[in-house]
Amino acid sequence: MTVHILDDKNSLLNKFISEIRDVNVQKDSMRFRRNIERIGEILAYEISQSLDYQNKVITTSLGTKIVPVPKNDIVLCSILRAGLPLHTGLLNYFDDAENAFISAYRKHINETEFEIKVEYFASPSLEGKTLILADPMLATGQSIVSVYEGLKNHGTPKKIILACVIGSTEAIELIKKHFPSTTELWIATVDTKLNDKGYIVPGLGDAGDLAFGEKL
Ligand code: URA
């Protein structure tokens, strides 16, 4: 698996990451959602450099120009509900992608142990396509692995790209074992710790709650 960590170099991305982590800025849920969306847009731009291109002849009012354009058939797949703002950002740039939505949640057995429940699946065929699997918080990695297992019934993608905002080193090690070695991970930033509830530390807290409000 190739891992691309985007905050390795200084860019405006770091400002957006700082704001989604900051407890004072997080109170503004619209800014939180929009910052995740902006990070999705940056991820999309970076990911676009690894796609396949074909030349297209474009006619302007004054002549013609050959322009290389991406030729991949993209399926953009997100995990409900925290994934929605990231999905919007990616879709803003990959505007002709097909879309898949899957629900996954942590069903707690006790305070610290949980299993991943995958229930709702809406996906087109993935056969021969480029699957971009988006998950804002790659904490334990168990959700994205469970979702990928479910997607295997929908055909074999030609290329798999994982798009994430914050990840843990533990999750990256787990997904390396479960995804094909040709998979690319594009991630804004990586933290080294998880707490005993499986949350990324320092992370940002619960991305779904920060974007959409607390749930029961
Ligand atoms: N989901 C989140 O929103 N945050 C974490 O830290 C882990 C899972």
Side-chain angles (χ1 to χ4, degrees), residues 82 106 137 139 198-200 203-208:
R106 293 175 170 187
M137 303 300 286
Y199 274 75
I200 301 171
L204 52 72
D206 189 302

Side-chain angles (χ1 to χ4, degrees), residues 2 5 7 20 22 28 31 83 127 131 151 200 202 204 210-211:
T2 328
I5 303 171
D7 74 346
I20 58 171
D22 187 327
D28 180 352
R31 175 164 283 270
E127 193 61 42
L131 170 66
L151 283 173
I200 301 171
L204 52 72
L210 289 163

Side-chain angles (χ1 to χ4, degrees), residues 101-127:
F101 293 99
I102 292 161
S103 77
Y105 66 94
R106 293 175 170 187
K107 186 162 190 287
H108 276 271
I109 300 155
N110 54 43
E111 264 290 294
T112 55
E113 286 175 296
F114 57 84
E115 55 186 11
I116 305 293
K117 288 274 180 197
V118 176
E119 284 174 354
Y120 176 76
F121 251 94
S123 172
S125 165
L126 304 175
E127 193 61 42

